C-alpha cells in the first residue's frame, strides 16, 4: 500500500535522490576547513599588515601557496553549500530561489578561480 | 469543535520566535547561520586583498589604507570573531552529527563556552597580531 496522496502521485515528484551528497559535502569541507582556516588565521596574525614585498614573499613560498590554495577551494565550496541551504530555507518563490542559488554557485566558482589564479601569479613571479 | 464550521472560526496560531524565552542554544544556532553569511561577506575582503597583492603595490596600498583605518579594523575584528565562532560551533555540529553532546544541560554549557572561547581566541589573535606588528618589517 502506498502512503502517497493521489495528488502527489499525479505530480510524479519524488525524492531528488541527491541530497546526501550535499549533506556529506558540507561536512567534508567543514572538516577540511578546521586545519586550513587555522593556517589562514595564523598567517593573518603573522602577515596581516605586512608590506607589499613581505606579503608576496610569504605567499610565494610553495607550502604557503599550496595551503592557501586548498583553503580557498575548501571554504568556497563550504560557502556555496551553506548559502544554498539558507536560500532554500527563506526564499519561497521558485524563480528567485533558482536565480539566487545559481548566483551563489557562479560566485563561488568565480571566487575559487580568482583566488587560485592570484596565488599562482604571485607564486610563479617568485 | 464539531458544532462550528472550521473556516468561520479564528484559528489559534502556534507560538513563534518572539513568544519563546530564548535558551542559549537557540542563540548559538542562529549565530551560526549569521556568522556563516558574515564569513561569506568577509571572503570578499580576503579576495580583494589577494587580487590587490597580485596586481601591484598601488592596489595593495589602497587595501592596506582601507583595512588599516579604524572602521576597517573594526570590520576585520568582526570578521575574525565570526570566523572563529563559526569554526568552534561547527566543530560542535560535527560532534552532534556523531550523536555526541545532545543532553540539554551539556548543550547549554557548551554554548556558553563557545561564545566565551570565540571572544577569547579572537582577542588573543589581535593581541598577538599587534604584538608582532602584523608582519610589518
Amino acid at each position: 500500500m502506498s502512503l502517497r496522496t493521489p495528488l502527489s502521485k499525479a505530480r510524479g515528484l519524488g525524492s531528488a535522490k541527491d541530497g546526501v551528497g550535499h549533506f556529506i559535502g558540507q561536512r567534508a569541507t567543514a572538516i577540511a576547513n578546521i586545519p586550513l582556516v587555522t593556517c589562514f588565521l595564523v598567517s593573518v596574525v603573522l602577515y596581516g599588515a605586512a608590506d607589499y614585498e613581505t606579503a608576496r614573499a610569504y605567499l610565494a613560498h610553495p607550502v604557503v601557496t599550496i595551503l592557501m590554495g586548498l583553503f580557498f577551494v575548501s571554504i568556497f565550496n563550504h560557502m556555496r553549500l551553506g548559502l544554498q541551504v539558507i536560500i532554500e530555507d527563506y526564499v519561497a518563490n521558485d524563480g528567485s530561489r533558482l536565480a539566487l542559488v545559481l548566483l551563489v554557485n557562479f560566485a563561488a566558482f568565480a571566487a575559487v578561480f580568482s583566488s587560485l589564479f592570484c596565488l599562482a601569479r604571485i607564486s610563479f613571479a617568485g | 469543535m464539531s458544532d462550528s464550521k472550521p473556516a468561520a472560526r479564528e484559528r489559534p496560531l502556534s507560538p513563534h520566535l518572539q513568544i519563546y524565552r530564548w535558551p542559549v542554544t537557540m542563540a548559538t544556532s542562529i549565530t551560526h547561520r549569521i556568522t556563516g553569511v558574515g564569513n561569506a561577506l568577509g571572503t570578499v575582503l580576503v579576495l580583494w586583498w589577494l587580487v590587490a597583492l597580485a596586481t601591484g603595490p598601488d592596489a595593495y596600498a589602497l587595501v592596506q589604507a582601507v583595512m588599516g583605518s579604524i572602521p576597517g579594523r573594526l570590520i576585520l575584528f568582526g570578521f575574525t570573531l565570526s570566523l572563529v565562532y563559526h569554526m568552534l560551533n561547527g566543530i560542535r555540529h560535527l560532534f552532534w552529527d556523531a550523536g555526541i553532546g545532545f543532553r540539554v544541560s551539556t548543550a547549554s554549557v557548551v554554548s556558553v563556552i563557545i561564545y566565551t572561547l570565540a571572544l577569547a581566541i579572537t582577542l588573543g589573535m589581535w593581541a598577538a597580531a599587534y604584538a608582532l606588528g602584523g608582519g610589518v618589517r
Side-chain angles (χ1 to χ4, degrees):
Chain A
M1 189 192 84
S2 171
L3 294 174
R4 295 180 68 180
T5 62
L7 179 62
S8 159
K9 278 182 192 162
R11 281 186 175 146
L13 298 171
S15 151
K17 298 188 177 66
D18 64 353
V20 177
H22 186 287
F23 180 93
I24 292 173
Q26 187 86 75
R27 269 83 190 158
T29 51
I31 292 167
N33 278 348
I34 297 170
L36 294 171
V37 172
T38 305
C39 284
F40 170 75
L41 289 175
V42 170
S43 300
V44 166
V45 167
L46 294 175
Y47 294 98
D51 58 57
Y52 182 73
E53 280 76 23
T54 313
R56 277 186 76 107
Y58 175 68
L59 275 186
H61 190 288
V63 174
V64 179
T65 308
I66 290 167
L67 285 173
M68 283 299 114
L70 294 173
F71 163 76
F72 283 120
V73 171
S74 186
I75 61 156
F76 285 129
N77 269 298
H78 190 77
M79 178 193 84
R80 182 172 68 83
L81 296 167
L83 289 182
Q84 183 183 346
V85 171
I86 296 178
I87 290 165
E88 287 170 348
D89 276 357
Y90 299 136
V91 182
N93 180 278
D94 285 343
S96 310
R97 189 171 62 243
L98 182 66
L100 281 171
V101 170
L102 198 60
L103 182 71
V104 160
N105 276 272
F106 285 160
F109 279 98
V112 168
F113 179 77
S114 312
S115 55
L116 294 184
F117 173 77
C118 289
L119 280 174
R121 190 178 151 114
I122 291 166
S123 202
F124 293 149
Chain B
M1 192 66 87
S2 55
D3 57 352
S4 65
K5 280 180 283 181
R9 217 168 127 207
E10 185 85 350
R11 306 300 300 170
L13 289 169
S14 65
H16 200 53
L17 283 177
Q18 68 272 25
I19 300 297
Y20 291 113
R21 181 178 58 83
W22 275 53
V24 68
T25 42
M26 224 157 113
T28 49
S29 175
I30 194 60
T31 311
H32 194 72
R33 185 159 273 201
I34 291 167
T35 52
V37 175
N39 292 345
L41 297 174
T43 59
V44 175
L45 296 176
V46 179
L47 272 184
W48 183 34
W49 181 88
L50 186 65
V51 170
L53 189 64
T55 304
D58 293 341
Y60 189 69
L62 176 65
V63 173
Q64 276 201 311
V66 173
M67 292 191 185
S69 67
I70 298 297
R73 282 174 202 224
L74 282 173
I75 289 169
L76 289 181
F77 182 84
F79 178 35
T80 35
L81 183 60
S82 172
L83 261 182
V84 172
Y85 172 84
H86 198 83
M87 179 146 86
L88 292 176
N89 201 52
I91 292 168
R92 194 240 299 251
H93 265 285
L94 291 172
F95 276 98
W96 275 344
D97 287 340
I100 301 164
F102 275 122
R103 190 194 293 271
V104 174
S105 57
T106 308
S108 298
V109 170
V110 172
S111 293
V112 176
I113 291 174
I114 286 174
Y115 274 136
T116 314
L117 210 55
L119 192 60
I121 291 174
T122 309
L123 287 171
M125 272 179 56
W126 279 74
Y130 271 106
L132 297 167
V136 176
R137 304 272 138 105

